[in-house]
Amino acid sequence: MTKAAGHHPTELDVVLARHGRDRLRLVQILREAQEIEGWIPPETVAAIARALDIGVGEVESTLEFYSFFYRRPRGAYVVLFSDNITDRMLGNRSIFDHLARRFGVRRGEVSSDGLVSLDYCSCTGLCDQGPAILVNGVAIPKMTLARADQIHDLIRSKVPITAWPKEFFQIDHNIRRADMLLGSPFVPGSALKAAIAMGPEAFLVEVKRSNLRGRGGAGFTTGVKWEAAKKAQGDERFIVCNADEGEPGTFKDRVLMQYYPERVIEGMALAGFVTGARSGLIYLRGEYLYLKTPLEEKFAELRAGRLLGRNILGVEGFDFDVEIHMGAGAYICGEETALIESLEGKAGRPRIRPPFPVVCGYKNKPTVVNNVETLCKVTEIALQGGATYEGYGTKQSTGTKILSVSGDVERPGIYEFPFGVRVNQVLDEAGARNPKAVQISGASGACLGIREFGRRVAFEDVPTAGAFMVFGEDRDMFEVARNFAHFFAHESCGFCTPCRVGTAIQAKLMDKIANGHGTQYEMAELTHLREVMRAGSHCGLGQTAGAAIADTIGKFREDYEKRLAHKDFEPAFDLDAALARARSVSGRDDAASHILDHA
Amino acid sequence: MFHVAPTTRKRKVRIATTSLSGCFGCHMSLLDIDERLLALAEIAEFDRSPITDIKHCGPCDIAIVEGGVCNAENVHVLRELRANAKVLVALGACAVNGGLPAQRNHVDVGECLARVYTHRSEGQAGAVPNDPELPLLLDKVHPINEVVRVDYFVPGCPPSGDAIWKYLTDLIDGRIPRLEHPMLHFD
Ligand SMILES: Cc1cc2nc3c(=O)[nH]c(=O)nc-3n(C[C@H](O)[C@H](O)[C@H](O)COP(=O)(O)O)c2cc1C
Ligand code: SF4
Ligand code: SF4
């Protein structure tokens, strides 16, 4: 203890110094402080609070919010199994159980020797190569029982992760269909040169002419967003790249950041060029930790080539640089105002809008938040002009969209299509196996049945942030919806009651039906709850948290009906078992001491 | 939801009430409608209720339930009401949430009984009563909607006489019952 006490402050001091004891960097400080012991003990919390000159409660409020921060000791190896429905379909549960048995540890617990802890986590964005796990934050795809055994042995012999076989960590891009973006070569600096030649005003006109709409989900027109940030009052501006990609089933931003990082970073510089922002921040989800170092190496390379930093490409006064902020396991931080709160070191709770981030964002300064894919698209516009988008895609959704296809298909992976592509065509190209449903745009999106496979992927018809999960004819859509219900209950930030309580009740009702205690009453309750959450929630999470259930009730009601008890109502618990304790202490076993339901 | 009465009312509305695991405060509040009881008696009659002392209820229109479910008898009474009533109402915090009695939910019921009955002072060794006449305790106190389907919830500890009156007259007259903010404002 004394030894530890003498030792920790120095390591923690290094972390604190690295972040300039800046309160706004609390999330980053906590991430790095946690690396010292694998968890964050109360003394560390107190030390951080002192160093940043804020209350312990403030530190704790951030600490408590994020799934990847631990306030109790964890195993030396923390193994988290991605638990998206696609991981389940690939058998993650049996691999988890196998590993739990071999380690003799239960879910959420630390083994008695402190070696390992095992748990599930939300989708890790490796749906095309699942089941996936994170070991001490680093992703390992394509888990099998055999690989689980190897991992077991490595952990038992305390081999550091850095010495594990390299192929474990091999993440494939699985690009199956390349179009405008993925198929074109890109010379770093070429888009910036083109934009500089045009000048910021003319380039903004091109961005507006393209009618490019945000690829992060909401589909806001990028040119309009940039213009608003440019015109807003402020002595400082920021460009934020939203790389939180937390929507279950979405993984295209991961591929873009790993294989097209120059496009992403140059897109940010272009946004800086137009709006006058000098700083860029990439908010990278914690699950993508393995992308951090390669991206930072790329920054250094670009700085050396004068594509980042001061006087970019020799243009006097065109300064722009970027840095990475890591997330810590919170889906809600993909919502742009929650993201900004998280950038500022706080719990990721969505702000009240207006004011919008373009006027009052990071540090209350004008801030552009764009999705990774959107930022890649603007490099195309710089190179080819906004007019190339005309006639590509549909009227209101121009250009191409990258889809992340997973589930029951022969060729899961990344597909770039012009907007307006029919669901059927995507299914054909991916080799879907007797599909009965497609969940588009993730857990918060829409569930389409066979009769809707002729519909188009576009903002006018079926909008999407990119997820495209395919379910074959044998899949149980009730279990799909139940998986999403638990996802939302876990990810609700808790700020507003309709969502905090609604998502919890929704998950309980789904469990009740799953356990055979559901009736038509629960069905009616689910429908009612969906309306309350849709109408009463503060942000998109709560507003869409009931969508998948409503869709599957509408389209796959038989998957629910077969579980329902044909009664007026059934309690979720066993009434007779609830009397057992009192029966035993009173020694009774008479008829009145039982409640026997004749089913 | 449901309307109790057809548009032209020929017979009286039949109401059953019970206090399960409650303090009778909600029933006292029902009596707090004061002279409006006379008006109520014009249009309604009571089935099983502490007011009538009828022990088992027959078919009725409205069942008003005070209190949560804490023992086996509560379950039977509640189910009987549900089976017989067109509309079942949870009246008051205990019925809606479990209320005060649910405070015992974080103690083990066995330990609780043992503490009360066997650890007596002055060396008397007691035992947990085992008379079959006594309703046996459930391990947890439940709000009534965890045991039967519930049509309406009227919050308050207790809801005021005015709130109960407004609620009942709305329901009986075929309107969707609506309690505005002042009637749900307790501080
Ligand atoms: C619950 C929720 C989660 C979101 N997650 C993401 C995300 O992971 N990535 C993203 O780019 N946008 C996400 N968004 C949308 C962002 O709020 C924002 O609209 C987007 O980043 C804007 O960029 P764009 O205009 O380039 O699309 C999310 C929105 C909500 C409501
Ligand atoms: S809707 Fe849910 S996630 Fe959004 S602010 Fe409310 S509680 Fe938080
Ligand atoms: S709600 Fe209040 S008044 Fe009514 S039974 Fe419970 S404790 Fe008594």
Side-chain angles (χ1 to χ4, degrees), chain A residues 512 521 568-573 575-583 585-588 590 592-597, chain B residues 72 75-76 79 82 108-111 113 128-132 134-139 142 145-150:
Chain A
K512 189 175 175 187
Y521 175 80
D568 181 51
F569 184 86
E570 272 246 314
F573 60 101
L575 283 161
D576 193 53
L579 289 170
R581 184 81 175 111
R583 260 198 308 269
V585 291
S586 62
R588 280 175 59 181
D590 54 282
S593 70
H594 286 276
I595 300 176
L596 298 173
D597 281 321
Chain B
V75 174
H76 298 305
R79 285 182 160 178
R82 177 69 269 183
D108 175 78
V109 71
E111 256 168 52
L113 287 168
V128 176
N130 59 0
D131 189 334
L134 295 173
L136 199 63
L137 296 183
L138 294 161
D139 56 357
H142 294 268
N145 71 308
E146 290 182 4
V147 179
V148 297
R149 177 168 56 78
V150 175

Coordinates of all heavy atoms in Angstrom, one line a residue, chain A residues 512 521 568-573 575-583 585-588 590 592-597, chain B residues 72 75-76 79 82 108-111 113 128-132 134-139 142 145-150:
Chain A
K512 N -40.7 -10.7 -20.0 CA -41.9 -11.3 -19.4 C -42.5 -12.2 -20.5 O -42.9 -13.3 -20.3 CB -42.9 -10.3 -18.9 CG -44.0 -10.9 -18.2 CD -44.9 -9.8 -17.6 CE -46.1 -10.5 -16.9 NZ -47.1 -9.5 -16.5
Y521 N -52.3 -8.2 -22.9 CA -52.1 -7.0 -22.1 C -50.7 -6.4 -22.3 O -50.5 -5.2 -22.6 CB -52.3 -7.4 -20.6 CG -52.0 -6.2 -19.7 CD1 -53.0 -5.2 -19.5 CD2 -50.8 -6.1 -19.0 CE1 -52.7 -4.1 -18.7 CE2 -50.6 -5.0 -18.2 CZ -51.5 -4.1 -18.0 OH -51.3 -3.0 -17.2
D568 N -56.1 -13.6 -19.4 CA -56.3 -12.2 -19.3 C -55.0 -11.5 -18.9 O -54.6 -10.5 -19.4 CB -57.4 -12.0 -18.3 CG -57.7 -10.5 -18.1 OD1 -57.9 -9.9 -19.2 OD2 -57.7 -10.0 -17.0
F569 N -54.3 -12.1 -18.0 CA -53.1 -11.5 -17.5 C -52.3 -12.6 -16.7 O -52.9 -13.5 -16.1 CB -53.4 -10.4 -16.5 CG -52.3 -9.6 -16.0 CD1 -51.7 -8.6 -16.7 CD2 -51.6 -10.0 -14.8 CE1 -50.6 -7.9 -16.2 CE2 -50.5 -9.3 -14.3 CZ -50.0 -8.2 -15.0
E570 N -51.0 -12.5 -16.7 CA -50.1 -13.4 -16.0 C -49.1 -12.6 -15.2 O -48.5 -11.7 -15.8 CB -49.4 -14.3 -16.9 CG -50.1 -15.5 -17.3 CD -49.3 -16.7 -16.7 OE1 -48.1 -16.8 -16.9 OE2 -50.0 -17.6 -16.1
P571 N -48.9 -12.8 -13.9 CA -47.8 -12.1 -13.2 C -46.5 -12.5 -13.8 O -46.4 -13.6 -14.4 CB -47.9 -12.6 -11.8 CG -49.2 -13.2 -11.7 CD -49.6 -13.7 -13.0
A572 N -45.5 -11.7 -13.7 CA -44.1 -12.0 -14.2 C -43.4 -12.9 -13.3 O -42.3 -13.4 -13.6 CB -43.3 -10.7 -14.4
F573 N -43.9 -13.1 -12.1 CA -43.2 -13.9 -11.1 C -44.1 -15.1 -10.6 O -45.4 -15.0 -10.8 CB -42.8 -13.1 -9.9 CG -43.9 -12.4 -9.1 CD1 -44.4 -13.0 -8.0 CD2 -44.5 -11.3 -9.6 CE1 -45.5 -12.4 -7.3 CE2 -45.6 -10.7 -9.0 CZ -46.1 -11.3 -7.8
L575 N -46.2 -16.8 -8.1 CA -46.9 -16.5 -6.9 C -46.6 -17.5 -5.8 O -46.4 -17.2 -4.6 CB -48.4 -16.3 -7.1 CG -48.8 -15.0 -7.8 CD1 -50.2 -15.1 -8.4 CD2 -48.7 -13.9 -6.8
D576 N -46.7 -18.8 -6.2 CA -46.5 -19.8 -5.1 C -45.1 -19.8 -4.6 O -44.9 -19.9 -3.4 CB -46.9 -21.2 -5.7 CG -47.0 -22.2 -4.6 OD1 -47.8 -22.0 -3.7 OD2 -46.3 -23.3 -4.7
A577 N -44.1 -19.6 -5.5 CA -42.7 -19.6 -5.0 C -42.5 -18.4 -4.1 O -41.7 -18.4 -3.2 CB -41.8 -19.5 -6.2
A578 N -43.3 -17.3 -4.4 CA -43.1 -16.1 -3.5 C -43.6 -16.3 -2.1 O -43.3 -15.5 -1.2 CB -43.9 -14.9 -4.2
L579 N -44.4 -17.4 -1.9 CA -44.8 -17.7 -0.5 C -43.9 -18.7 0.2 O -44.0 -19.0 1.4 CB -46.2 -18.4 -0.6 CG -47.4 -17.4 -1.0 CD1 -48.7 -18.3 -1.3 CD2 -47.7 -16.4 0.1
A580 N -42.9 -19.3 -0.6 CA -42.1 -20.4 0.0 C -41.4 -20.0 1.2 O -41.3 -20.8 2.2 CB -41.1 -20.8 -1.1
R581 N -40.8 -18.8 1.3 CA -40.0 -18.4 2.4 C -40.9 -18.3 3.7 O -40.5 -18.8 4.7 CB -39.4 -17.0 2.1 CG -38.4 -16.5 3.2 CD -37.1 -17.1 3.0 NE -36.2 -16.5 4.0 CZ -35.7 -17.1 5.1 NH1 -36.0 -18.4 5.3 NH2 -34.9 -16.5 5.9
A582 N -42.0 -17.7 3.6 CA -42.9 -17.6 4.7 C -43.4 -19.0 5.1 O -43.6 -19.3 6.3 CB -44.1 -16.6 4.4
R583 N -43.7 -19.8 4.1 CA -44.1 -21.2 4.4 C -43.1 -21.9 5.3 O -43.4 -22.5 6.3 CB -44.3 -22.0 3.1 CG -45.7 -22.1 2.7 CD -45.9 -23.3 1.7 NE -45.0 -23.2 0.6 CZ -45.2 -22.6 -0.6 NH1 -46.4 -22.0 -0.8 NH2 -44.4 -22.6 -1.6
V585 N -40.6 -20.6 7.2 CA -40.4 -20.1 8.6 C -41.6 -20.4 9.5 O -41.4 -20.5 10.7 CB -40.0 -18.6 8.7 CG1 -38.6 -18.4 8.2 CG2 -41.0 -17.7 8.1
S586 N -42.8 -20.5 8.9 CA -43.9 -20.8 9.8 C -44.2 -22.3 9.9 O -45.0 -22.7 10.6 CB -45.2 -20.0 9.3 OG -45.5 -20.5 8.0
G587 N -43.5 -23.0 9.0 CA -43.7 -24.5 9.0 C -45.1 -24.9 8.5 O -45.6 -26.0 8.8
R588 N -45.7 -24.0 7.7 CA -47.0 -24.4 7.1 C -46.9 -25.0 5.8 O -46.0 -24.8 5.0 CB -47.8 -23.1 7.0 CG -48.4 -22.6 8.3 CD -49.1 -21.2 8.1 NE -50.2 -21.3 7.1 CZ -50.9 -20.2 6.7 NH1 -50.7 -19.1 7.3 NH2 -51.9 -20.4 5.8
D590 N -50.4 -26.0 4.5 CA -51.8 -26.2 4.3 C -52.2 -25.6 3.0 O -51.4 -24.9 2.3 CB -52.6 -25.6 5.4 CG -52.2 -24.1 5.6 OD1 -51.1 -23.8 6.2 OD2 -53.0 -23.2 5.1
A592 N -54.2 -23.2 2.2 CA -54.2 -21.7 2.1 C -52.8 -21.1 2.0 O -52.6 -19.9 1.8 CB -54.9 -21.2 3.4
S593 N -51.8 -22.0 2.2 CA -50.4 -21.4 2.2 C -49.8 -21.6 0.8 O -48.6 -21.5 0.6 CB -49.5 -22.1 3.2 OG -49.3 -23.5 2.9
H594 N -50.7 -22.0 -0.2 CA -50.2 -22.1 -1.6 C -51.1 -21.3 -2.5 O -52.3 -21.1 -2.2 CB -50.3 -23.6 -2.0 CG -49.2 -24.4 -1.4 ND1 -47.9 -24.5 -2.0 CD2 -49.2 -25.2 -0.3 CE1 -47.2 -25.3 -1.2 NE2 -47.9 -25.8 -0.2
I595 N -50.6 -20.9 -3.6 CA -51.4 -20.3 -4.7 C -51.1 -21.2 -5.9 O -50.0 -21.1 -6.5 CB -51.1 -18.9 -4.9 CG1 -51.3 -18.0 -3.7 CG2 -51.9 -18.4 -6.1 CD1 -51.0 -16.6 -3.9
L596 N -52.0 -22.1 -6.2 CA -51.8 -23.0 -7.3 C -52.6 -22.5 -8.5 O -53.8 -22.5 -8.5 CB -52.1 -24.4 -6.9 CG -51.2 -24.9 -5.8 CD1 -51.7 -26.3 -5.3 CD2 -49.8 -25.0 -6.2
D597 N -51.9 -22.1 -9.5 CA -52.6 -21.6 -10.7 C -52.8 -22.8 -11.7 O -51.8 -23.5 -12.0 CB -51.8 -20.6 -11.5 CG -51.9 -19.2 -10.8 OD1 -53.0 -18.9 -10.4 OD2 -50.9 -18.5 -10.7
Chain B
A72 N -51.2 -14.0 0.5 CA -51.9 -14.9 -0.3 C -53.4 -14.4 -0.4 O -54.0 -14.5 -1.5 CB -51.8 -16.3 0.2
V75 N -54.0 -11.8 -3.0 CA -54.0 -12.3 -4.3 C -55.4 -12.8 -4.7 O -56.0 -12.5 -5.8 CB -53.0 -13.4 -4.5 CG1 -53.1 -14.1 -5.9 CG2 -51.6 -12.9 -4.3
H76 N -56.0 -13.6 -3.8 CA -57.3 -14.1 -4.1 C -58.4 -13.0 -4.2 O -59.2 -13.1 -5.1 CB -57.7 -15.1 -3.0 CG -56.8 -16.3 -2.9 ND1 -56.5 -17.1 -4.0 CD2 -56.1 -16.8 -1.9 CE1 -55.6 -18.0 -3.7 NE2 -55.4 -17.9 -2.4
R79 N -57.9 -11.1 -7.4 CA -58.3 -11.8 -8.6 C -59.8 -12.0 -8.7 O -60.4 -11.9 -9.8 CB -57.7 -13.2 -8.6 CG -56.2 -13.2 -8.9 CD -55.6 -14.5 -8.9 NE -54.3 -14.5 -9.7 CZ -53.6 -15.6 -9.8 NH1 -53.9 -16.8 -9.3 NH2 -52.4 -15.5 -10.5
R82 N -61.0 -8.7 -10.1 CA -60.7 -8.6 -11.5 C -61.6 -9.4 -12.4 O -62.1 -9.0 -13.4 CB -59.2 -9.0 -11.7 CG -58.7 -9.0 -13.2 CD -58.6 -7.6 -13.8 NE -59.8 -7.1 -14.4 CZ -59.8 -5.9 -15.0 NH1 -58.8 -5.1 -15.1 NH2 -60.9 -5.5 -15.6
D108 N -35.4 -9.6 4.1 CA -35.9 -11.0 3.8 C -37.1 -11.3 4.7 O -37.1 -11.1 5.9 CB -34.8 -12.0 4.2 CG -35.2 -13.4 4.0 OD1 -35.3 -13.9 2.9 OD2 -35.5 -14.0 5.1
V109 N -38.2 -11.8 4.1 CA -39.4 -11.9 4.9 C -39.3 -13.0 6.0 O -39.9 -12.8 7.1 CB -40.6 -12.2 3.9 CG1 -40.5 -13.7 3.4 CG2 -42.0 -12.1 4.6
G110 N -38.5 -14.0 5.7 CA -38.3 -15.0 6.7 C -37.6 -14.4 8.0 O -38.0 -14.6 9.1
E111 N -36.5 -13.7 7.7 CA -35.8 -13.0 8.8 C -36.7 -12.1 9.6 O -36.7 -11.9 10.8 CB -34.6 -12.2 8.3 CG -33.3 -12.9 8.5 CD -32.2 -12.2 7.7 OE1 -32.1 -11.0 7.8 OE2 -31.5 -12.9 6.9
L113 N -40.0 -12.2 9.9 CA -40.9 -12.9 10.8 C -40.2 -13.5 12.0 O -40.7 -13.4 13.1 CB -41.6 -14.0 10.0 CG -42.7 -13.6 8.9 CD1 -43.0 -14.7 8.0 CD2 -43.9 -13.0 9.6
V128 N -43.0 -18.5 14.9 CA -43.8 -17.8 13.9 C -45.2 -18.5 13.8 O -45.3 -19.7 13.7 CB -43.1 -18.0 12.5 CG1 -43.9 -17.3 11.4 CG2 -41.7 -17.3 12.5
P129 N -46.3 -17.7 13.9 CA -47.6 -18.4 13.9 C -47.8 -19.2 12.7 O -47.4 -18.8 11.6 CB -48.5 -17.2 13.9 CG -47.7 -16.0 14.2 CD -46.3 -16.3 13.9
N130 N -48.5 -20.3 12.9 CA -48.8 -21.2 11.7 C -50.2 -21.5 11.5 O -50.6 -22.5 10.9 CB -47.9 -22.5 11.9 CG -48.3 -23.2 13.1 OD1 -49.2 -22.8 13.9 ND2 -47.7 -24.3 13.4
D131 N -51.1 -20.6 12.0 CA -52.5 -20.9 11.9 C -53.0 -20.6 10.4 O -52.7 -19.6 9.9 CB -53.3 -19.8 12.8 CG -54.7 -20.1 12.9 OD1 -55.3 -20.7 11.9 OD2 -55.4 -19.7 13.9
P132 N -53.6 -21.7 9.8 CA -54.0 -21.5 8.4 C -55.0 -20.4 8.2 O -55.1 -19.9 7.1 CB -54.7 -22.9 8.1 CG -54.2 -23.8 9.2 CD -53.9 -23.0 10.4
L134 N -54.4 -17.4 9.1 CA -53.7 -16.2 8.8 C -53.2 -16.2 7.4 O -52.6 -17.2 6.9 CB -52.4 -16.2 9.7 CG -52.8 -16.1 11.2 CD1 -51.5 -16.2 12.0 CD2 -53.4 -14.7 11.5
P135 N -53.4 -15.1 6.7 CA -52.9 -15.0 5.3 C -51.3 -15.0 5.4 O -50.7 -14.4 6.2 CB -53.3 -13.6 4.9 CG -54.4 -13.2 5.8 CD -54.1 -13.9 7.1
L136 N -50.8 -15.9 4.5 CA -49.3 -16.0 4.5 C -48.7 -14.9 3.6 O -49.2 -14.5 2.6 CB -49.0 -17.4 3.8 CG -47.6 -18.0 4.1 CD1 -47.4 -18.3 5.6 CD2 -47.5 -19.2 3.3
L137 N -47.6 -14.4 4.1 CA -46.9 -13.3 3.5 C -46.2 -13.7 2.2 O -45.5 -14.7 2.2 CB -45.9 -12.6 4.4 CG -46.5 -11.9 5.6 CD1 -45.4 -11.2 6.4 CD2 -47.6 -10.9 5.3
L138 N -46.3 -12.9 1.2 CA -45.4 -13.1 0.0 C -44.0 -12.5 0.3 O -43.9 -11.7 1.2 CB -46.0 -12.3 -1.2 CG -47.3 -12.8 -1.8 CD1 -48.0 -11.6 -2.6 CD2 -47.1 -14.0 -2.6
D139 N -43.0 -13.0 -0.4 CA -41.7 -12.5 -0.1 C -41.5 -11.0 -0.4 O -40.7 -10.4 0.2 CB -40.6 -13.4 -0.8 CG -40.8 -13.4 -2.3 OD1 -41.7 -12.8 -2.8 OD2 -39.9 -14.0 -2.9
H142 N -46.1 -6.3 -3.8 CA -46.2 -5.9 -5.3 C -47.3 -4.9 -5.5 O -48.4 -5.0 -4.9 CB -46.5 -7.2 -6.1 CG -45.4 -8.2 -6.1 ND1 -44.5 -8.2 -7.1 CD2 -45.2 -9.2 -5.3 CE1 -43.6 -9.2 -6.8 NE2 -44.1 -9.9 -5.8
N145 N -50.7 -4.0 -10.3 CA -50.6 -4.3 -11.8 C -49.6 -5.4 -12.1 O -49.5 -5.8 -13.2 CB -50.3 -3.0 -12.5 CG -48.8 -2.6 -12.3 OD1 -48.4 -2.4 -11.1 ND2 -48.1 -2.4 -13.3
E146 N -48.9 -5.8 -11.0 CA -48.0 -7.0 -11.3 C -48.7 -8.3 -11.1 O -48.2 -9.4 -11.3 CB -46.7 -6.9 -10.4 CG -45.8 -5.7 -10.8 CD -44.5 -5.6 -10.0 OE1 -44.3 -6.4 -9.2 OE2 -43.8 -4.6 -10.3
V147 N -49.9 -8.2 -10.6 CA -50.7 -9.5 -10.4 C -51.9 -9.6 -11.2 O -52.3 -10.7 -11.7 CB -51.1 -9.6 -8.9 CG1 -51.9 -10.8 -8.6 CG2 -49.8 -9.6 -8.0
V148 N -52.6 -8.5 -11.5 CA -53.7 -8.5 -12.5 C -53.6 -7.3 -13.5 O -52.8 -6.4 -13.3 CB -55.1 -8.4 -11.7 CG1 -55.3 -9.5 -10.8 CG2 -55.2 -7.0 -11.0
R149 N -54.5 -7.4 -14.5 CA -54.5 -6.3 -15.4 C -55.2 -5.1 -14.8 O -56.3 -5.3 -14.1 CB -55.3 -6.8 -16.7 CG -55.5 -5.7 -17.7 CD -56.0 -6.4 -19.0 NE -57.2 -7.2 -18.8 CZ -58.4 -6.7 -18.7 NH1 -58.6 -5.4 -18.8 NH2 -59.4 -7.5 -18.5
V150 N -54.7 -4.0 -14.9 CA -55.3 -2.8 -14.3 C -55.7 -1.8 -15.4 O -54.9 -1.5 -16.3 CB -54.3 -2.1 -13.3 CG1 -54.8 -0.8 -12.7 CG2 -54.0 -3.1 -12.2

